[in-house]
Amino acid sequence: MKADYQDLVDEISALLGAPATLENRDFGLIAFGAHDSDDDTAMDPVRTRSILTRKSTPAVRAWFEGFGITRATGPVRIPAAPDAGVLRDRICLPVRHRGVVLGYVWLLDADPGPSAGRLTAAMEVAERIGALLADEERADADLSRELRAVLTAEGGWQYDMAVAALRTALGRDAEGLHALLCVAPWPGPGTPSVRTAPGVAALCTVPWPARTARDPHPGGTGAGGAGAEAGGAGAGAEAGGAGAGAGGPGAPRAGAAAATAGRAPAGPGAADRGLGGPGAAPPGEAAHGLAALVRLRSAEAPAPALTAATRLRDAAGGGAPSGAPPTAVWAAGGAGTVPGAGHPAGTVVGVADPRRGVGDLAQAWREAASAARAALAQPRLGPVAPWASIGPYRLLTALPPAPPHDRAVRALLTPAHTELARTAEVFLDNAGQAGRTAAALGIHRQTLYYRLSRVENLTGLDLDEGEDRLLLHMALKTARI
């Protein structure tokens, strides 16, 4: 089909005596005619960028759409705008099918320009392009529907039937080598064209878990607990370290009792973190992810999947996801980090292990979605996170969605103890090495020992015991997902 588009674009170029380009309605490049002129003005920055990057910027799109091309049924002449990088006048031929605009053919205009008769002939070719684009859209929609059915089927005969339908829709591609991607969060329910990224065989949007506030847990830290973090006996130890003693794993714990002496009793009913997962939509707001099935030539050469991941992430747009929680949460990278905000667009891509055929797409989707969740929770894993690279998150993401916190760590995971939770996580991430932990946090060792003694007192866990460390580390990591 790509050759068909190229042939039709070349036909228009020959009819009008000027090189033409064809873009879809989202201004993604489909085909372009040869530019064999020695005249430097035969190209301008806008056309050059469109050909090199295969797309136009939102500003360029808005400029051209301002001339009514989305509503036009015939050629539209657009004047040059040097300030916008449009150095040449243009002719736009809207590509329509049954009244719906599906794309545009662009030509650089010249004086006197093509005759009305030639433009009429070119519009007839544009109609043939419109029929091809309509067929392609229908095929894309069919594949999108079948892929979504596979990924949302409950299993058993329903899954088997969905796989059979997808296999039929894909044809020869069905038995090839693929990687399944999960782009999350995706802005809205609309599915982009498979032309958005190279090598994509099928795309579909799928539901993405919404963020829900977790139930309050009795025994959480109330206002009194929060105050102890800021003042009282603990505050003096935080500031100077002298009153903290040398409590903490691997050191005497004389400071633990003193550290708690000035703390007010914990208030009942304190709310939990209330984060249903970074990148999730706010409560009540529908959220979406995008699944992409990408063709591969070799399992040892994942470049096509990674390239597609980058293109699709770019297509998701800029800005943090609408569901990114504004609350500052603990993170190894520093206080105040918002999950997902470590990525320029707030969107990540999880990449499943390559598989041949489509029979195992359910497991592939679990891998891709888990890798995306892990990358949203831990920005250092992303923005493109292969399943094989997420380490312990392969196990943590297999836990039920929003599992209740273990009772030992509920109080620690309340907003009042954000700094303590972060300190504990960095300590465990650094294998319990006090020097590395203090350096990572930018604090004195005595301050670190004081904080760790507070963690032990709050949780009842012994950080010199391997199983207690494991429980705390898993709880802290799981709370991110």
Side-chain angles (χ1 to χ4, degrees):
M1 188 171 283
K2 184 175 181 180
D4 295 336
Y5 289 125
Q6 188 63 57
D7 289 344
L8 292 171
V9 167
D10 289 341
E11 186 175 341
I12 290 177
S13 297
L15 267 173
L16 302 182
T21 60
L22 170 63
E23 294 179 336
N24 62 23
R25 61 182 157 206
D26 295 322
F27 283 61
L29 185 68
I30 296 175
F32 59 92
H35 291 68
D36 55 4
S37 173
D38 292 330
D39 182 3
D40 291 339
T41 64
M43 295 279 282
D44 63 16
V46 167
R47 173 162 284 202
T48 300
R49 187 185 191 283
S50 172
I51 292 174
L52 293 179
T53 66
R54 308 193 70 81
K55 62 183 178 180
S56 294
T57 65
V60 167
R61 176 176 178 172
W63 165 262
F64 286 124
E65 288 180 343
F67 289 90
I69 61 175
T70 60
R71 301 181 300 276
T73 57
V76 178
R77 280 192 155 90
I78 299 174
D83 290 346
V86 182
L87 305 183
R88 296 279 302 275
D89 295 350
R90 276 170 168 71
I91 298 175
C92 174
L93 308 180
V95 177
R96 291 181 172 274
H97 182 74
R98 295 182 178 176
V100 178
V101 65
L102 299 178
Y104 307 99
V105 175
W106 298 94
L107 300 107
L108 299 178
D109 202 2
D111 191 20
S115 66
R118 289 180 179 273
L119 286 173
T120 299
M123 283 300 298
E124 292 174 357
V125 180
E127 288 180 12
R128 288 153 57 195
I129 295 175
L132 280 179
L133 286 173
D135 288 344
E136 185 175 291
E137 281 204 352
R138 281 192 293 270
D140 284 357
D142 290 344
L143 281 170
S144 180
R145 183 182 62 250
E146 305 302 352
L147 178 59
R148 185 182 296 108
V150 170
L151 301 185
T152 58
E154 294 182 358
W157 65 268
Q158 292 179 329
Y159 178 77
D160 293 341
M161 288 185 65
V163 168
L166 177 62
R167 188 176 286 120
T168 300
L170 283 170
R172 289 183 302 174
D173 278 347
E175 300 310 317
L177 190 68
H178 299 95
L180 190 61
L181 314 184
C182 173
V183 186
W186 183 257
T191 301
S193 165
V194 293
R195 292 184 174 276
T196 304
V200 173
L203 292 166
C204 73
T205 53
V206 291
W208 190 251
R211 192 171 82 247
T212 56
R214 294 184 183 172
D215 294 332
H217 297 295
T221 302
E229 284 289 294
E238 280 284 298
R253 302 182 188 178
T260 59
R263 189 169 65 223
D272 200 354
R273 303 184 77 75
L275 306 180
E285 180 179 318
H288 303 87
L290 180 76
L293 190 64
V294 181
R295 305 179 195 91
L296 297 179
R297 292 186 178 276
S298 166
E300 286 71 41
L306 302 181
T307 299
T310 301
R311 293 280 183 88
L312 291 170
R313 183 171 172 268
D314 289 345
S322 60
T327 310
V329 298
W330 45 269
T337 299
V338 176
H343 311 300
T347 297
V348 300
V349 186
V351 184
D353 283 344
R355 286 171 170 78
R356 189 167 295 279
V358 294
D360 200 21
L361 283 184
Q363 177 59 30
W365 179 243
R366 283 191 287 270
E367 292 177 2
S370 294
R373 288 174 60 204
L376 285 167
Q378 189 65 273
R380 65 177 175 79
L381 296 175
V384 177
W387 163 254
S389 73
I390 64 174
Y393 286 95
R394 292 196 293 271
L395 297 177
L396 294 174
T397 54
L399 296 174
H405 292 316
D406 186 272
R407 62 183 181 181
V409 298
R410 285 177 187 168
L412 181 64
L413 292 176
T414 58
H417 297 300
T418 294
E419 195 62 44
L420 290 182
R422 174 174 173 252
T423 298
E425 186 183 18
V426 175
F427 175 73
L428 294 168
D429 284 347
N430 282 284
Q433 296 188 27
R436 286 169 52 189
T437 305
L441 294 171
I443 60 176
H444 193 276
R445 278 198 189 205
Q446 293 297 98
T447 302
L448 172 64
Y449 292 143
Y450 165 73
R451 291 185 185 178
L452 294 176
S453 70
R454 291 286 311 280
V455 169
E456 290 184 318
N457 182 268
L458 198 61
T459 62
L461 299 176
D462 182 350
L463 295 186
D464 277 339
E465 293 294 330
E467 289 189 355
D468 284 2
R469 285 196 189 192
L470 176 62
L471 172 60
L472 180 57
H473 211 178
M474 286 182 63
L476 292 169
K477 296 300 186 186
T478 303
R480 289 180 171 277
I481 300 171

